[in-house]
Amino acid sequence: MSRGAMNFRESFASALENLAGHKLRSGLTMLGMIFGVGAVIAMLSIGAGAEQQALGMIQSLGLDNILVRDASPDGEELEEIRRRTPGLSPRDALALEEAVEGVAEASPRVLIEPYRVFSADGRSGAPVFGVSHRHAQLAGLRLAEGRFFDAHDERDHAQVCVIGAVVRRELFGFGPAIGDDLKVDDQWFEVIGVLAEGGSNADSFQGVQLGDPAREIYLPVSTALRKLEKSPLDAPLTEIVVRLEKGASARRTGESIAGLLERLHAGAEDYRLVIPEALLEQNRRAQRLFNVVMGAIAGISLLVGGIGIMNIMLATVLERTREIGVRRAVGARRRDIQFQFLTEAFAISLLGGGAGVLLGLGIARGVALWADWETVVTLGSVILSTGVAMAVGLASGYYPAVRAARLDPVDALRYE
């Protein structure tokens, strides 16, 4: 083993011995480091969890999609608008596919709010959506049983449906659902598919309503429009999901879509564009601001911890002035004295950082359990927080170490 390694090992052991001799003082000195490191890890884990949760919500909308949603007003204003335009309609979906550059396909969707949904074994309050046969791919729906309806079902106005996992339990319990029938208002539909469990529990994201496929029923859009009733003033469609071509700019395509719909709807503002990519970027900007603010707060804790280390090391220099004089008298060099005190500052930072990591993990776990909020502790957050703590500790211990090294041996031996 090299002499440098031996010196560090001996110095570190001596530092731990000195810290153990003043347990209360050492513990209080470490508090700033503990709270600072714990705050950094907890903050970054909460932020990473929020970003992962936001990404999951955005993926449910489709990161490569643009959503055109019905935004018809209520009351007399709606009646006035309906004299000019029927609202969001299949005609709009067809026009977007044919006339807007960058649009790969436009899939219509209509929400039906039935007054009853039941089967031979149960009832459900699930909303019913009429969607295109391409909707499963666009929305990333996964099937646990059966199949999704296809273009032939849509063309033939087939009375078939796909249900979510929660709806399956409500209507059929744990018995078989595929091939069985359910009734929506006065129409019977055969269950041909059941969606897999999963999805977001959130109702909205950045002010945009999200659905929960596990609690929904899907029919061919042609069947829903023809065989289920809606208010005459309601728009024919609730939403059009627009999938962009690979490499197409969501912002520029969105502007083209808005321009076309303005002409088709005679200037009526009865629709709303939702660009998931823009929502994700907006969320990330807010998350970065959150990280900066929380990082500044955690940095203050680390700074306070560094001041505490400097204070205790200066006090230690005074307490051990005679010891320093003896060590210098028997041949210790200035750099040996300086290295010893820097090692003690490093030891305080290391122990405080280690305890802070445990505190941060505990806070992250507590938040996840108490607030039902996903937290993600990454190796990078642990390395960053402990690395900053080490740097602050060494920087805080440098001046006391230099001061100790510069003590005159003769004066130090006379110190009482």
Side-chain angles (χ1 to χ4, degrees), residues 169-181:
R169 289 194 291 271
E170 291 174 344
L171 295 180
F172 304 103
F174 294 98
I178 301 298
D180 212 332
D181 295 324

Side-chain angles (χ1 to χ4, degrees), residues 189-202:
F189 295 88
E190 179 187 354
V191 178
I192 61 171
V194 177
L195 298 177
E197 296 272 7
S200 171
N201 294 324

Side-chain angles (χ1 to χ4, degrees), residues 304-383:
V304 171
I307 294 172
I309 290 175
M310 181 180 293
N311 182 53
I312 200 65
M313 294 305 297
L314 287 172
T316 302
V317 170
L318 291 176
E319 289 179 355
R320 296 166 60 187
T321 298
R322 188 172 180 82
E323 176 193 331
I324 293 170
V326 172
R327 292 188 63 186
R328 290 296 308 278
V330 297
R333 297 164 295 180
R334 283 188 174 183
R335 65 182 182 184
D336 295 327
I337 302 298
Q338 182 174 328
F339 183 73
Q340 175 62 44
F341 280 88
L342 280 175
T343 303
E344 290 193 20
F346 175 79
I348 293 174
S349 302
L350 180 63
L351 294 175
V357 170
L358 296 178
L359 177 64
L361 294 176
I363 294 175
R365 181 62 177 166
V367 168
L369 293 176
W370 178 73
D372 193 24
W373 182 276
E374 184 178 5
T375 56
V376 179
V377 178
T378 63
L379 179 61
S381 66
V382 175
I383 294 175

Side-chain angles (χ1 to χ4, degrees), residues 240-272:
I240 299 173
V241 182
V242 179
R243 182 174 67 84
L244 303 181
E245 294 177 347
K246 189 174 181 179
S249 168
R251 183 180 60 81
R252 287 197 296 270
T253 306
E255 291 173 353
S256 300
I257 290 173
L260 176 60
L261 290 177
E262 184 178 8
R263 293 193 297 273
L264 291 175
H265 288 239
E269 296 182 0
D270 58 349
Y271 59 88
R272 175 191 178 198

Side-chain angles (χ1 to χ4, degrees), residues 60-203:
S60 71
L61 296 175
L63 195 56
D64 296 326
N65 296 340
I66 292 178
L67 311 181
V68 184
R69 290 188 164 178
D70 174 54
S72 299
D74 296 323
E76 295 180 0
E77 187 179 354
L78 177 60
E79 295 180 8
E80 175 62 29
I81 287 177
R82 286 294 174 261
R83 295 189 182 99
R84 291 184 285 160
T85 171
L88 209 59
S89 67
R91 178 195 65 167
D92 296 327
L94 184 62
L96 293 177
E97 278 191 354
E98 294 181 348
V100 178
E101 183 179 356
V103 172
E105 58 182 314
S107 174
R109 190 167 89 140
V110 57
L111 169 63
I112 305 293
E113 296 181 351
Y115 58 85
R116 61 178 177 180
V117 175
F118 66 93
S119 68
D121 301 312
R123 295 179 176 273
S124 175
V128 176
F129 288 93
V131 298
S132 163
H133 65 278
R134 298 172 292 188
H135 181 77
Q137 180 182 0
L138 290 174
L141 301 180
R142 296 180 298 109
L143 286 165
E145 304 175 58
R147 66 178 180 89
F148 209 78
F149 42 82
D150 55 27
H152 296 291
D153 295 321
E154 190 173 337
R155 182 194 61 203
D156 297 338
H157 309 95
Q159 293 190 211
V160 295
C161 67
V162 175
I163 61 177
V166 174
V167 179
R168 181 196 192 284
R169 289 194 291 271
E170 291 174 344
L171 295 180
F172 304 103
F174 294 98
I178 301 298
D180 212 332
D181 295 324
L182 61 84
K183 194 171 188 180
V184 177
D185 292 342
D186 296 320
Q187 300 291 328
W188 286 97
F189 295 88
E190 179 187 354
V191 178
I192 61 171
V194 177
L195 298 177
E197 296 272 7
S200 171
N201 294 324
D203 294 327

